[in-house]
mmCIF file of all heavy atoms in Angstrom:
data_model
loop_
_atom_site.group_PDB
_atom_site.id
_atom_site.type_symbol
_atom_site.label_atom_id
_atom_site.label_comp_id
_atom_site.label_asym_id
_atom_site.label_seq_id
_atom_site.Cartn_x
_atom_site.Cartn_y
_atom_site.Cartn_z
ATOM 1 N N PHE A 275 -19.335 -46.031 35.649
ATOM 2 C CA PHE A 275 -18.034 -45.887 34.916
ATOM 3 C C PHE A 275 -18.282 -45.537 33.412
ATOM 4 O O PHE A 275 -17.667 -44.691 32.860
ATOM 5 C CB PHE A 275 -17.237 -47.196 35.047
ATOM 6 C CG PHE A 275 -15.996 -47.187 34.208
ATOM 7 C CD1 PHE A 275 -14.893 -46.500 34.596
ATOM 8 C CD2 PHE A 275 -15.924 -47.938 33.079
ATOM 9 C CE1 PHE A 275 -13.713 -46.569 33.925
ATOM 10 C CE2 PHE A 275 -14.719 -47.949 32.304
ATOM 11 C CZ PHE A 275 -13.628 -47.317 32.742
ATOM 12 N N TYR A 276 -19.256 -46.331 32.765
ATOM 13 C CA TYR A 276 -19.531 -46.043 31.392
ATOM 14 C C TYR A 276 -20.125 -44.698 31.191
ATOM 15 O O TYR A 276 -19.807 -43.954 30.173
ATOM 16 C CB TYR A 276 -20.425 -47.142 30.875
ATOM 17 C CG TYR A 276 -19.934 -48.535 30.898
ATOM 18 C CD1 TYR A 276 -20.663 -49.608 31.216
ATOM 19 C CD2 TYR A 276 -18.537 -48.782 30.671
ATOM 20 C CE1 TYR A 276 -20.173 -50.898 31.277
ATOM 21 C CE2 TYR A 276 -18.049 -50.066 30.702
ATOM 22 C CZ TYR A 276 -18.858 -51.111 31.021
ATOM 23 O OH TYR A 276 -18.350 -52.379 31.120
ATOM 24 N N LYS A 277 -20.985 -44.242 32.148
ATOM 25 C CA LYS A 277 -21.591 -42.929 32.011
ATOM 26 C C LYS A 277 -20.461 -41.816 32.102
ATOM 27 O O LYS A 277 -20.503 -40.812 31.347
ATOM 28 C CB LYS A 277 -22.638 -42.722 33.134
ATOM 29 C CG LYS A 277 -23.386 -41.364 33.047
ATOM 30 C CD LYS A 277 -24.423 -41.325 34.062
ATOM 31 C CE LYS A 277 -25.098 -39.889 34.117
ATOM 32 N NZ LYS A 277 -25.859 -39.592 32.942
ATOM 33 N N ARG A 278 -19.537 -42.104 32.977
ATOM 34 C CA ARG A 278 -18.430 -41.124 33.167
ATOM 35 C C ARG A 278 -17.592 -41.023 31.938
ATOM 36 O O ARG A 278 -17.089 -39.995 31.546
ATOM 37 C CB ARG A 278 -17.639 -41.442 34.437
ATOM 38 C CG ARG A 278 -16.473 -40.430 34.692
ATOM 39 C CD ARG A 278 -16.972 -39.043 34.908
ATOM 40 N NE ARG A 278 -15.984 -38.102 35.067
ATOM 41 C CZ ARG A 278 -16.083 -36.788 34.738
ATOM 42 N NH1 ARG A 278 -17.198 -36.365 34.213
ATOM 43 N NH2 ARG A 278 -15.084 -35.948 35.002
ATOM 44 N N VAL A 279 -17.295 -42.197 31.376
ATOM 45 C CA VAL A 279 -16.479 -42.284 30.171
ATOM 46 C C VAL A 279 -17.156 -41.460 28.959
ATOM 47 O O VAL A 279 -16.527 -40.700 28.285
ATOM 48 C CB VAL A 279 -16.204 -43.735 29.640
ATOM 49 C CG1 VAL A 279 -15.706 -43.795 28.214
ATOM 50 C CG2 VAL A 279 -15.338 -44.452 30.625
ATOM 51 N N LEU A 280 -18.494 -41.620 28.852
ATOM 52 C CA LEU A 280 -19.304 -40.919 27.923
ATOM 53 C C LEU A 280 -19.164 -39.395 28.179
ATOM 54 O O LEU A 280 -19.020 -38.579 27.303
ATOM 55 C CB LEU A 280 -20.744 -41.334 27.881
ATOM 56 C CG LEU A 280 -21.776 -40.674 26.918
ATOM 57 C CD1 LEU A 280 -21.350 -41.017 25.502
ATOM 58 C CD2 LEU A 280 -23.151 -41.098 27.260
ATOM 59 N N ASP A 281 -19.150 -39.011 29.458
ATOM 60 C CA ASP A 281 -19.057 -37.591 29.838
ATOM 61 C C ASP A 281 -17.729 -37.046 29.489
ATOM 62 O O ASP A 281 -17.610 -35.932 28.954
ATOM 63 C CB ASP A 281 -19.314 -37.428 31.398
ATOM 64 C CG ASP A 281 -20.755 -37.583 31.792
ATOM 65 O OD1 ASP A 281 -21.656 -37.522 30.884
ATOM 66 O OD2 ASP A 281 -21.062 -37.748 32.962
ATOM 67 N N ILE A 282 -16.700 -37.843 29.683
ATOM 68 C CA ILE A 282 -15.328 -37.344 29.437
ATOM 69 C C ILE A 282 -15.157 -37.138 27.911
ATOM 70 O O ILE A 282 -14.608 -36.090 27.442
ATOM 71 C CB ILE A 282 -14.331 -38.353 29.957
ATOM 72 C CG1 ILE A 282 -14.327 -38.301 31.518
ATOM 73 C CG2 ILE A 282 -12.878 -37.986 29.493
ATOM 74 C CD1 ILE A 282 -13.405 -39.340 32.110
ATOM 75 N N ILE A 283 -15.615 -38.148 27.092
ATOM 76 C CA ILE A 283 -15.476 -38.015 25.696
ATOM 77 C C ILE A 283 -16.280 -36.833 25.208
ATOM 78 O O ILE A 283 -15.744 -35.983 24.395
ATOM 79 C CB ILE A 283 -16.006 -39.314 24.964
ATOM 80 C CG1 ILE A 283 -15.023 -40.529 25.355
ATOM 81 C CG2 ILE A 283 -16.080 -39.131 23.482
ATOM 82 C CD1 ILE A 283 -15.553 -41.789 24.836
ATOM 83 N N GLY A 284 -17.580 -36.716 25.634
ATOM 84 C CA GLY A 284 -18.392 -35.597 25.261
ATOM 85 C C GLY A 284 -17.843 -34.261 25.740
ATOM 86 O O GLY A 284 -17.969 -33.262 25.064
ATOM 87 N N GLY A 285 -17.274 -34.254 26.978
ATOM 88 C CA GLY A 285 -16.662 -33.082 27.547
ATOM 89 C C GLY A 285 -15.555 -32.516 26.744
ATOM 90 O O GLY A 285 -15.430 -31.308 26.503
ATOM 91 N N ILE A 286 -14.733 -33.453 26.279
ATOM 92 C CA ILE A 286 -13.502 -33.109 25.431
ATOM 93 C C ILE A 286 -13.944 -32.409 24.163
ATOM 94 O O ILE A 286 -13.520 -31.369 23.762
ATOM 95 C CB ILE A 286 -12.565 -34.195 25.298
ATOM 96 C CG1 ILE A 286 -11.931 -34.631 26.612
ATOM 97 C CG2 ILE A 286 -11.468 -33.886 24.244
ATOM 98 C CD1 ILE A 286 -11.143 -35.982 26.502
ATOM 99 N N VAL A 287 -14.882 -33.115 23.485
ATOM 100 C CA VAL A 287 -15.341 -32.680 22.204
ATOM 101 C C VAL A 287 -16.099 -31.281 22.406
ATOM 102 O O VAL A 287 -15.863 -30.310 21.600
ATOM 103 C CB VAL A 287 -16.378 -33.684 21.557
ATOM 104 C CG1 VAL A 287 -16.993 -33.084 20.295
ATOM 105 C CG2 VAL A 287 -15.585 -34.966 21.243
ATOM 106 N N GLY A 288 -16.886 -31.227 23.430
ATOM 107 C CA GLY A 288 -17.637 -30.007 23.749
ATOM 108 C C GLY A 288 -16.734 -28.815 24.011
ATOM 109 O O GLY A 288 -16.947 -27.679 23.603
ATOM 110 N N CYS A 289 -15.655 -29.093 24.747
ATOM 111 C CA CYS A 289 -14.688 -27.993 25.030
ATOM 112 C C CYS A 289 -13.985 -27.475 23.858
ATOM 113 O O CYS A 289 -13.735 -26.255 23.700
ATOM 114 C CB CYS A 289 -13.685 -28.456 26.071
ATOM 115 S SG CYS A 289 -14.337 -28.527 27.810
ATOM 116 N N LEU A 290 -13.687 -28.352 22.916
ATOM 117 C CA LEU A 290 -13.099 -27.921 21.648
ATOM 118 C C LEU A 290 -14.010 -27.088 20.778
ATOM 119 O O LEU A 290 -13.626 -26.090 20.238
ATOM 120 C CB LEU A 290 -12.629 -29.194 20.846
ATOM 121 C CG LEU A 290 -11.512 -30.048 21.468
ATOM 122 C CD1 LEU A 290 -11.279 -31.193 20.632
ATOM 123 C CD2 LEU A 290 -10.275 -29.209 21.538
ATOM 124 N N ILE A 291 -15.270 -27.482 20.840
ATOM 125 C CA ILE A 291 -16.299 -26.650 20.068
ATOM 126 C C ILE A 291 -16.455 -25.340 20.710
ATOM 127 O O ILE A 291 -16.660 -24.322 20.083
ATOM 128 C CB ILE A 291 -17.643 -27.446 20.001
ATOM 129 C CG1 ILE A 291 -17.451 -28.782 19.162
ATOM 130 C CG2 ILE A 291 -18.733 -26.627 19.328
ATOM 131 C CD1 ILE A 291 -18.735 -29.646 19.165
ATOM 132 N N THR A 292 -16.498 -25.314 22.083
ATOM 133 C CA THR A 292 -16.573 -24.105 22.803
ATOM 134 C C THR A 292 -15.525 -23.087 22.486
ATOM 135 O O THR A 292 -15.818 -21.945 22.422
ATOM 136 C CB THR A 292 -16.580 -24.407 24.362
ATOM 137 O OG1 THR A 292 -17.567 -25.336 24.644
ATOM 138 C CG2 THR A 292 -16.770 -23.111 25.197
ATOM 139 N N LEU A 293 -14.369 -23.626 22.348
ATOM 140 C CA LEU A 293 -13.158 -22.727 22.039
ATOM 141 C C LEU A 293 -13.478 -22.039 20.621
ATOM 142 O O LEU A 293 -13.166 -20.874 20.375
ATOM 143 C CB LEU A 293 -11.893 -23.565 22.031
ATOM 144 C CG LEU A 293 -10.615 -22.822 21.612
ATOM 145 C CD1 LEU A 293 -10.362 -21.715 22.610
ATOM 146 C CD2 LEU A 293 -9.370 -23.717 21.556
ATOM 147 N N ILE A 294 -13.972 -22.865 19.660
ATOM 148 C CA ILE A 294 -14.284 -22.333 18.276
ATOM 149 C C ILE A 294 -15.348 -21.248 18.397
ATOM 150 O O ILE A 294 -15.216 -20.157 17.845
ATOM 151 C CB ILE A 294 -14.609 -23.476 17.354
ATOM 152 C CG1 ILE A 294 -13.450 -24.456 17.211
ATOM 153 C CG2 ILE A 294 -15.037 -22.876 16.010
ATOM 154 C CD1 ILE A 294 -13.785 -25.661 16.442
ATOM 155 N N ILE A 295 -16.326 -21.595 19.173
ATOM 156 C CA ILE A 295 -17.512 -20.671 19.331
ATOM 157 C C ILE A 295 -17.018 -19.348 19.965
ATOM 158 O O ILE A 295 -17.418 -18.225 19.557
ATOM 159 C CB ILE A 295 -18.624 -21.197 20.204
ATOM 160 C CG1 ILE A 295 -19.178 -22.460 19.434
ATOM 161 C CG2 ILE A 295 -19.703 -20.185 20.537
ATOM 162 C CD1 ILE A 295 -20.277 -23.266 20.276
ATOM 163 N N PHE A 296 -16.099 -19.464 20.950
ATOM 164 C CA PHE A 296 -15.608 -18.321 21.631
ATOM 165 C C PHE A 296 -14.913 -17.335 20.729
ATOM 166 O O PHE A 296 -15.061 -16.072 20.852
ATOM 167 C CB PHE A 296 -14.603 -18.803 22.751
ATOM 168 C CG PHE A 296 -13.869 -17.670 23.441
ATOM 169 C CD1 PHE A 296 -14.426 -17.055 24.614
ATOM 170 C CD2 PHE A 296 -12.723 -17.199 23.057
ATOM 171 C CE1 PHE A 296 -13.803 -16.087 25.254
ATOM 172 C CE2 PHE A 296 -11.990 -16.153 23.712
ATOM 173 C CZ PHE A 296 -12.621 -15.653 24.781
ATOM 174 N N ILE A 297 -14.139 -17.843 19.815
ATOM 175 C CA ILE A 297 -13.413 -16.912 18.862
ATOM 176 C C ILE A 297 -14.370 -16.050 18.072
ATOM 177 O O ILE A 297 -14.088 -14.869 17.826
ATOM 178 C CB ILE A 297 -12.650 -17.817 17.897
ATOM 179 C CG1 ILE A 297 -11.562 -18.597 18.657
ATOM 180 C CG2 ILE A 297 -12.000 -16.982 16.767
ATOM 181 C CD1 ILE A 297 -10.776 -19.621 17.763
ATOM 182 N N PHE A 298 -15.591 -16.532 17.760
ATOM 183 C CA PHE A 298 -16.478 -15.795 16.980
ATOM 184 C C PHE A 298 -17.441 -14.855 17.785
ATOM 185 O O PHE A 298 -17.728 -13.731 17.450
ATOM 186 C CB PHE A 298 -17.368 -16.697 16.090
ATOM 187 C CG PHE A 298 -16.624 -17.351 14.984
ATOM 188 C CD1 PHE A 298 -16.065 -18.626 15.185
ATOM 189 C CD2 PHE A 298 -16.325 -16.708 13.858
ATOM 190 C CE1 PHE A 298 -15.322 -19.248 14.125
ATOM 191 C CE2 PHE A 298 -15.580 -17.387 12.838
ATOM 192 C CZ PHE A 298 -15.122 -18.606 12.968
ATOM 193 N N ILE A 299 -17.900 -15.340 18.899
ATOM 194 C CA ILE A 299 -18.989 -14.663 19.651
ATOM 195 C C ILE A 299 -18.410 -13.727 20.755
ATOM 196 O O ILE A 299 -19.059 -12.742 21.160
ATOM 197 C CB ILE A 299 -20.090 -15.492 20.218
ATOM 198 C CG1 ILE A 299 -19.594 -16.324 21.350
ATOM 199 C CG2 ILE A 299 -20.725 -16.385 19.116
ATOM 200 C CD1 ILE A 299 -20.709 -17.090 22.076
ATOM 201 N N ALA A 300 -17.245 -14.043 21.233
ATOM 202 C CA ALA A 300 -16.666 -13.262 22.349
ATOM 203 C C ALA A 300 -16.541 -11.783 22.032
ATOM 204 O O ALA A 300 -16.974 -10.914 22.803
ATOM 205 C CB ALA A 300 -15.313 -13.787 22.857
ATOM 206 N N PRO A 301 -15.951 -11.399 20.826
ATOM 207 C CA PRO A 301 -15.942 -9.972 20.484
ATOM 208 C C PRO A 301 -17.261 -9.256 20.436
ATOM 209 O O PRO A 301 -17.449 -8.092 20.917
ATOM 210 C CB PRO A 301 -15.230 -9.932 19.169
ATOM 211 C CG PRO A 301 -14.500 -11.288 19.072
ATOM 212 C CD PRO A 301 -15.423 -12.242 19.816
ATOM 213 N N ILE A 302 -18.199 -10.009 19.910
ATOM 214 C CA ILE A 302 -19.615 -9.330 19.750
ATOM 215 C C ILE A 302 -20.255 -9.141 21.102
ATOM 216 O O ILE A 302 -20.812 -8.081 21.388
ATOM 217 C CB ILE A 302 -20.476 -10.334 18.921
ATOM 218 C CG1 ILE A 302 -19.819 -10.589 17.544
ATOM 219 C CG2 ILE A 302 -21.925 -9.660 18.699
ATOM 220 C CD1 ILE A 302 -20.622 -11.570 16.699
ATOM 221 N N ILE A 303 -20.068 -10.123 22.024
ATOM 222 C CA ILE A 303 -20.625 -9.990 23.379
ATOM 223 C C ILE A 303 -20.050 -8.751 24.060
ATOM 224 O O ILE A 303 -20.695 -7.927 24.673
ATOM 225 C CB ILE A 303 -20.457 -11.206 24.235
ATOM 226 C CG1 ILE A 303 -21.205 -12.409 23.702
ATOM 227 C CG2 ILE A 303 -20.778 -10.923 25.697
ATOM 228 C CD1 ILE A 303 -20.996 -13.711 24.364
ATOM 229 N N PHE A 304 -18.680 -8.648 23.962
ATOM 230 C CA PHE A 304 -17.906 -7.591 24.631
ATOM 231 C C PHE A 304 -18.361 -6.168 24.073
ATOM 232 O O PHE A 304 -18.474 -5.246 24.798
ATOM 233 C CB PHE A 304 -16.462 -7.809 24.539
ATOM 234 C CG PHE A 304 -15.680 -6.836 25.391
ATOM 235 C CD1 PHE A 304 -15.507 -7.059 26.739
ATOM 236 C CD2 PHE A 304 -15.076 -5.722 24.808
ATOM 237 C CE1 PHE A 304 -14.798 -6.138 27.502
ATOM 238 C CE2 PHE A 304 -14.390 -4.830 25.567
ATOM 239 C CZ PHE A 304 -14.193 -5.034 26.906
#
Side-chain angles (χ1 to χ4, degrees):
F275 173 77
Y276 297 144
K277 182 175 175 68
R278 183 59 185 151
V279 169
L280 182 63
D281 285 343
I282 291 172
I283 295 172
I286 292 172
V287 174
C289 284
L290 292 175
I291 297 174
T292 302
L293 180 61
I294 297 172
I295 295 172
F296 175 85
I297 295 172
F298 289 97
I299 70 171
I302 304 174
I303 292 174
F304 187 80

